Amino acid sequence: GDLFPALNVPRKRDMDFEAIVKESVQNLGLQAEDSFVLKVVQMEELLAVRHSVFVIGGPGTGKTQVLKSLNMSYRTMKRKPMLLDMNPKAVTANELFGFINPNTREWKDGLFSTTMRDLAEVANESPKWIVLDGDIDPMWIESLNTVMDDNKVLTLASNERIPLNNTMRLVFEIGHLKYATPATVSRAGILFVNPQDLGWN
């Protein structure tokens, strides 16, 4: 609509997938409103073309439920998804990515590096998500630039390189992009969840 204002091109819809999403949403005890189902479908479309996605919205707008609904839809489709979530703000950057002990020169693995390595070693075609649920901070997000760009590799201080394979996705569940640099924002797809998208009655 922005590039060609006079044209109204109808969105391509997969009605079978939307039916599965509606069933999954109801199985989670939620109301399958059209606006909410649309957000789940948009998330699926984003994950198909981007390996990093920001899900942005205020508290209580349903960001987590969008992810849970899509995860449940994958389970219904027998795709056996794997989802691991963590709060990157709950630990220091060293605890997140690992560090070399200055006294012993021994390498101590971090939470994110361990998670990413474990998922990379799972040799199947099921979707694998690492969900980072916490506000963006340049202290840790800048370390993920090589994972989020076309290199798709996490380079650690120990010189180990952990690849992000084709079945893996990074999902950032955040409230705003206030402290994100343009370099970071340009590397990811963005799904914005409005309170109006909740559509609950």
Side-chain angles (χ1 to χ4, degrees), residues 136-175:
I136 281 184
D137 181 337
M139 289 292 289
W140 62 268
I141 193 76
E142 293 296 324
S143 302
L144 291 177
N145 279 348
T146 55
V147 187
M148 294 169 67
D149 65 19
D150 291 338
N151 293 314
K152 297 207 280 190
V153 171
L154 177 67
T155 305
L156 302 174
S158 62
N159 290 331
E160 183 186 1
R161 292 162 66 85
I162 305 172
L164 190 83
N165 65 39
N166 291 332
T167 62
M168 292 164 66
R169 297 289 183 270
L170 282 185
V171 180
F172 300 86
E173 200 179 317
I174 53 179

Short mmCIF file of all heavy atoms in Angstrom, two decimals, residues 136-175:
data_model
loop_
_atom_site.label_atom_id
_atom_site.label_comp_id
_atom_site.label_asym_id
_atom_site.label_seq_id
_atom_site.Cartn_x
_atom_site.Cartn_y
_atom_site.Cartn_z
N ILE A 136 15.70 -4.77 25.21
CA ILE A 136 16.96 -4.71 24.47
C ILE A 136 17.93 -3.76 25.15
O ILE A 136 17.56 -2.67 25.57
CB ILE A 136 16.69 -4.28 23.01
CG1 ILE A 136 16.19 -5.50 22.24
CG2 ILE A 136 17.94 -3.71 22.36
CD1 ILE A 136 15.99 -5.25 20.78
N ASP A 137 19.18 -4.20 25.22
CA ASP A 137 20.24 -3.42 25.84
C ASP A 137 21.47 -3.57 24.94
O ASP A 137 21.84 -4.70 24.60
CB ASP A 137 20.51 -4.01 27.24
CG ASP A 137 21.59 -3.26 28.01
OD1 ASP A 137 22.41 -2.60 27.36
OD2 ASP A 137 21.60 -3.35 29.24
N PRO A 138 22.09 -2.48 24.52
CA PRO A 138 23.27 -2.59 23.65
C PRO A 138 24.37 -3.48 24.23
O PRO A 138 25.17 -4.05 23.49
CB PRO A 138 23.77 -1.14 23.52
CG PRO A 138 22.56 -0.29 23.79
CD PRO A 138 21.74 -1.07 24.78
N MET A 139 24.38 -3.62 25.56
CA MET A 139 25.41 -4.44 26.22
C MET A 139 25.39 -5.88 25.72
O MET A 139 26.43 -6.51 25.58
CB MET A 139 25.20 -4.44 27.73
CG MET A 139 25.53 -3.12 28.41
SD MET A 139 27.28 -2.75 28.38
CE MET A 139 27.90 -3.95 29.54
N TRP A 140 24.20 -6.44 25.46
CA TRP A 140 24.15 -7.83 24.99
C TRP A 140 23.69 -7.99 23.54
O TRP A 140 24.11 -8.91 22.85
CB TRP A 140 23.27 -8.69 25.92
CG TRP A 140 21.83 -8.29 26.00
CD1 TRP A 140 21.26 -7.45 26.90
CD2 TRP A 140 20.76 -8.73 25.14
NE1 TRP A 140 19.91 -7.31 26.66
CE2 TRP A 140 19.57 -8.09 25.58
CE3 TRP A 140 20.68 -9.60 24.06
CZ2 TRP A 140 18.34 -8.30 24.98
CZ3 TRP A 140 19.45 -9.80 23.45
CH2 TRP A 140 18.30 -9.15 23.90
N ILE A 141 22.86 -7.07 23.04
CA ILE A 141 22.32 -7.24 21.69
C ILE A 141 23.41 -7.08 20.62
O ILE A 141 23.37 -7.74 19.58
CB ILE A 141 21.14 -6.26 21.43
CG1 ILE A 141 20.37 -6.65 20.16
CG2 ILE A 141 21.62 -4.82 21.34
CD1 ILE A 141 19.48 -7.83 20.30
N GLU A 142 24.41 -6.22 20.90
CA GLU A 142 25.47 -6.00 19.92
C GLU A 142 26.29 -7.28 19.68
O GLU A 142 26.82 -7.49 18.59
CB GLU A 142 26.41 -4.87 20.37
CG GLU A 142 25.77 -3.48 20.39
CD GLU A 142 25.33 -2.99 19.02
OE1 GLU A 142 26.04 -3.26 18.03
OE2 GLU A 142 24.27 -2.34 18.92
N SER A 143 26.36 -8.14 20.69
CA SER A 143 27.09 -9.41 20.55
C SER A 143 26.37 -10.37 19.62
O SER A 143 26.96 -11.37 19.17
CB SER A 143 27.29 -10.06 21.91
OG SER A 143 27.98 -9.20 22.79
N LEU A 144 25.10 -10.09 19.35
CA LEU A 144 24.31 -10.98 18.49
C LEU A 144 24.25 -10.50 17.03
O LEU A 144 23.58 -11.12 16.21
CB LEU A 144 22.88 -11.10 19.03
CG LEU A 144 22.73 -11.85 20.35
CD1 LEU A 144 21.27 -11.84 20.81
CD2 LEU A 144 23.21 -13.29 20.21
N ASN A 145 24.95 -9.39 16.72
CA ASN A 145 24.88 -8.85 15.36
C ASN A 145 25.29 -9.86 14.29
O ASN A 145 24.67 -9.95 13.24
CB ASN A 145 25.71 -7.58 15.23
CG ASN A 145 24.97 -6.36 15.78
OD1 ASN A 145 23.77 -6.42 16.04
ND2 ASN A 145 25.68 -5.26 15.95
N THR A 146 26.34 -10.65 14.58
CA THR A 146 26.79 -11.63 13.58
C THR A 146 25.82 -12.81 13.45
O THR A 146 25.79 -13.48 12.43
CB THR A 146 28.19 -12.18 13.91
OG1 THR A 146 28.18 -12.70 15.24
CG2 THR A 146 29.25 -11.10 13.78
N VAL A 147 25.03 -13.05 14.51
CA VAL A 147 24.01 -14.11 14.44
C VAL A 147 22.81 -13.61 13.64
O VAL A 147 22.22 -14.35 12.84
CB VAL A 147 23.53 -14.54 15.85
CG1 VAL A 147 22.62 -15.75 15.77
CG2 VAL A 147 24.71 -14.85 16.75
N MET A 148 22.47 -12.34 13.83
CA MET A 148 21.28 -11.78 13.20
C MET A 148 21.49 -11.43 11.73
O MET A 148 20.52 -11.37 10.98
CB MET A 148 20.82 -10.54 13.97
CG MET A 148 20.34 -10.86 15.38
SD MET A 148 20.11 -9.39 16.38
CE MET A 148 18.73 -8.61 15.56
N ASP A 149 22.74 -11.18 11.31
CA ASP A 149 22.95 -10.85 9.90
C ASP A 149 23.13 -12.13 9.08
O ASP A 149 22.87 -13.23 9.56
CB ASP A 149 24.11 -9.85 9.72
CG ASP A 149 25.46 -10.43 10.13
OD1 ASP A 149 25.59 -11.66 10.21
OD2 ASP A 149 26.40 -9.64 10.37
N ASP A 150 23.58 -11.99 7.84
CA ASP A 150 23.65 -13.14 6.93
C ASP A 150 24.73 -14.15 7.31
O ASP A 150 24.74 -15.26 6.77
CB ASP A 150 23.87 -12.66 5.50
CG ASP A 150 22.64 -11.95 4.95
OD1 ASP A 150 21.54 -12.20 5.49
OD2 ASP A 150 22.76 -11.14 4.01
N ASN A 151 25.64 -13.78 8.22
CA ASN A 151 26.66 -14.74 8.66
C ASN A 151 26.02 -15.88 9.46
O ASN A 151 26.44 -17.03 9.36
CB ASN A 151 27.72 -14.06 9.52
CG ASN A 151 28.55 -13.08 8.73
OD1 ASN A 151 29.00 -13.39 7.64
ND2 ASN A 151 28.73 -11.89 9.27
N LYS A 152 25.02 -15.54 10.27
CA LYS A 152 24.31 -16.52 11.11
C LYS A 152 25.27 -17.37 11.96
O LYS A 152 25.14 -18.59 12.04
CB LYS A 152 23.40 -17.41 10.26
CG LYS A 152 22.30 -16.65 9.55
CD LYS A 152 21.09 -17.50 9.27
CE LYS A 152 21.25 -18.36 8.08
NZ LYS A 152 19.99 -19.01 7.68
N VAL A 153 26.24 -16.70 12.58
CA VAL A 153 27.24 -17.40 13.40
C VAL A 153 27.47 -16.62 14.68
O VAL A 153 27.62 -15.41 14.65
CB VAL A 153 28.58 -17.55 12.64
CG1 VAL A 153 29.67 -18.07 13.56
CG2 VAL A 153 28.43 -18.48 11.44
N LEU A 154 27.47 -17.34 15.82
CA LEU A 154 27.83 -16.73 17.10
C LEU A 154 29.30 -16.99 17.35
O LEU A 154 29.73 -18.14 17.45
CB LEU A 154 26.98 -17.33 18.23
CG LEU A 154 27.31 -16.83 19.65
CD1 LEU A 154 26.93 -15.35 19.80
CD2 LEU A 154 26.58 -17.65 20.71
N THR A 155 30.10 -15.91 17.41
CA THR A 155 31.53 -16.05 17.66
C THR A 155 31.81 -15.72 19.12
O THR A 155 31.50 -14.62 19.59
CB THR A 155 32.34 -15.09 16.75
OG1 THR A 155 31.96 -15.34 15.39
CG2 THR A 155 33.82 -15.33 16.91
N LEU A 156 32.37 -16.67 19.83
CA LEU A 156 32.63 -16.52 21.27
C LEU A 156 34.05 -16.05 21.53
O LEU A 156 34.92 -16.13 20.64
CB LEU A 156 32.37 -17.85 21.99
CG LEU A 156 30.97 -18.44 21.84
CD1 LEU A 156 30.91 -19.81 22.48
CD2 LEU A 156 29.93 -17.53 22.45
N ALA A 157 34.30 -15.59 22.74
CA ALA A 157 35.64 -15.12 23.12
C ALA A 157 36.66 -16.26 23.10
O ALA A 157 37.86 -16.03 23.04
CB ALA A 157 35.59 -14.49 24.51
N SER A 158 36.17 -17.51 23.14
CA SER A 158 37.06 -18.68 23.09
C SER A 158 37.43 -19.04 21.65
O SER A 158 38.06 -20.07 21.42
CB SER A 158 36.37 -19.87 23.76
OG SER A 158 35.20 -20.20 23.04
N ASN A 159 36.98 -18.20 20.69
CA ASN A 159 37.19 -18.43 19.24
C ASN A 159 36.30 -19.54 18.68
O ASN A 159 36.46 -19.91 17.51
CB ASN A 159 38.66 -18.72 18.89
CG ASN A 159 39.52 -17.49 19.05
OD1 ASN A 159 39.05 -16.37 18.89
ND2 ASN A 159 40.79 -17.69 19.40
N GLU A 160 35.40 -20.05 19.50
CA GLU A 160 34.44 -21.04 18.98
C GLU A 160 33.39 -20.31 18.15
O GLU A 160 32.96 -19.21 18.48
CB GLU A 160 33.77 -21.78 20.14
CG GLU A 160 32.81 -22.87 19.66
CD GLU A 160 32.03 -23.53 20.80
OE1 GLU A 160 32.23 -23.12 21.96
OE2 GLU A 160 31.23 -24.42 20.53
N ARG A 161 32.97 -20.94 17.07
CA ARG A 161 31.92 -20.37 16.22
C ARG A 161 30.74 -21.33 16.18
O ARG A 161 30.90 -22.48 15.74
CB ARG A 161 32.46 -20.12 14.80
CG ARG A 161 33.51 -19.01 14.75
CD ARG A 161 34.32 -19.06 13.47
NE ARG A 161 33.52 -18.79 12.29
CZ ARG A 161 33.25 -17.57 11.83
NH1 ARG A 161 33.73 -16.51 12.48
NH2 ARG A 161 32.53 -17.39 10.75
N ILE A 162 29.58 -20.86 16.64
CA ILE A 162 28.39 -21.71 16.67
C ILE A 162 27.42 -21.22 15.59
O ILE A 162 26.95 -20.08 15.64
CB ILE A 162 27.70 -21.67 18.05
CG1 ILE A 162 28.69 -22.03 19.16
CG2 ILE A 162 26.49 -22.61 18.09
CD1 ILE A 162 28.15 -21.82 20.57
N PRO A 163 27.13 -22.06 14.60
CA PRO A 163 26.24 -21.61 13.51
C PRO A 163 24.77 -21.69 13.91
O PRO A 163 24.36 -22.53 14.71
CB PRO A 163 26.55 -22.60 12.39
CG PRO A 163 26.96 -23.86 13.10
CD PRO A 163 27.63 -23.43 14.38
N LEU A 164 23.99 -20.78 13.35
CA LEU A 164 22.53 -20.82 13.48
C LEU A 164 22.03 -21.56 12.25
O LEU A 164 22.10 -21.03 11.14
CB LEU A 164 21.96 -19.39 13.52
CG LEU A 164 20.48 -19.23 13.88
CD1 LEU A 164 20.30 -19.24 15.39
CD2 LEU A 164 19.93 -17.92 13.33
N ASN A 165 21.57 -22.80 12.43
CA ASN A 165 21.19 -23.57 11.23
C ASN A 165 19.81 -23.16 10.70
O ASN A 165 19.14 -22.31 11.28
CB ASN A 165 21.30 -25.09 11.49
CG ASN A 165 20.32 -25.58 12.53
OD1 ASN A 165 19.18 -25.13 12.59
ND2 ASN A 165 20.76 -26.50 13.36
N ASN A 166 19.40 -23.76 9.61
CA ASN A 166 18.20 -23.32 8.89
C ASN A 166 16.90 -23.55 9.66
O ASN A 166 15.87 -22.96 9.31
CB ASN A 166 18.11 -24.02 7.52
CG ASN A 166 19.20 -23.55 6.58
OD1 ASN A 166 19.67 -22.42 6.69
ND2 ASN A 166 19.62 -24.41 5.67
N THR A 167 16.93 -24.41 10.67
CA THR A 167 15.70 -24.68 11.43
C THR A 167 15.60 -23.79 12.66
O THR A 167 14.58 -23.78 13.35
CB THR A 167 15.63 -26.15 11.88
OG1 THR A 167 16.75 -26.43 12.75
CG2 THR A 167 15.66 -27.10 10.69
N MET A 168 16.66 -23.03 12.96
CA MET A 168 16.70 -22.22 14.19
C MET A 168 16.31 -20.77 13.93
O MET A 168 16.62 -20.21 12.88
CB MET A 168 18.10 -22.27 14.81
CG MET A 168 18.48 -23.63 15.37
SD MET A 168 20.25 -23.79 15.69
CE MET A 168 20.49 -22.62 17.00
N ARG A 169 15.60 -20.19 14.91
CA ARG A 169 15.18 -18.79 14.82
C ARG A 169 15.43 -18.08 16.16
O ARG A 169 15.28 -18.69 17.23
CB ARG A 169 13.69 -18.70 14.50
CG ARG A 169 13.27 -19.29 13.15
CD ARG A 169 13.76 -18.45 11.99
NE ARG A 169 13.32 -18.97 10.71
CZ ARG A 169 13.99 -19.85 9.98
NH1 ARG A 169 15.14 -20.33 10.43
NH2 ARG A 169 13.53 -20.25 8.80
N LEU A 170 15.79 -16.81 16.07
CA LEU A 170 15.91 -15.96 17.25
C LEU A 170 14.66 -15.10 17.34
O LEU A 170 14.32 -14.40 16.38
CB LEU A 170 17.13 -15.03 17.14
CG LEU A 170 18.52 -15.57 17.40
CD1 LEU A 170 19.52 -14.43 17.36
CD2 LEU A 170 18.60 -16.28 18.73
N VAL A 171 13.98 -15.14 18.47
CA VAL A 171 12.78 -14.33 18.66
C VAL A 171 13.01 -13.42 19.87
O VAL A 171 13.36 -13.90 20.96
CB VAL A 171 11.53 -15.21 18.88
CG1 VAL A 171 10.29 -14.34 19.09
CG2 VAL A 171 11.31 -16.16 17.71
N PHE A 172 12.85 -12.13 19.67
CA PHE A 172 13.04 -11.15 20.75
C PHE A 172 11.66 -10.62 21.16
O PHE A 172 10.96 -10.03 20.34
CB PHE A 172 13.90 -9.97 20.27
CG PHE A 172 15.28 -10.40 19.82
CD1 PHE A 172 15.48 -10.83 18.51
CD2 PHE A 172 16.36 -10.36 20.69
CE1 PHE A 172 16.74 -11.21 18.09
CE2 PHE A 172 17.62 -10.75 20.26
CZ PHE A 172 17.81 -11.18 18.97
N GLU A 173 11.30 -10.88 22.40
CA GLU A 173 9.99 -10.43 22.91
C GLU A 173 10.23 -9.18 23.75
O GLU A 173 10.71 -9.26 24.88
CB GLU A 173 9.38 -11.56 23.75
CG GLU A 173 7.89 -11.44 23.93
CD GLU A 173 7.32 -12.60 24.74
OE1 GLU A 173 7.72 -13.76 24.51
OE2 GLU A 173 6.51 -12.33 25.63
N ILE A 174 9.91 -8.02 23.18
CA ILE A 174 10.32 -6.76 23.80
C ILE A 174 9.19 -5.75 23.83
O ILE A 174 8.19 -5.89 23.12
CB ILE A 174 11.55 -6.16 23.05
CG1 ILE A 174 11.24 -6.04 21.56
CG2 ILE A 174 12.79 -6.97 23.28
CD1 ILE A 174 12.34 -5.44 20.74
N GLY A 175 9.37 -4.72 24.65
CA GLY A 175 8.34 -3.68 24.78
C GLY A 175 8.57 -2.49 23.87
O GLY A 175 7.64 -1.80 23.48
#
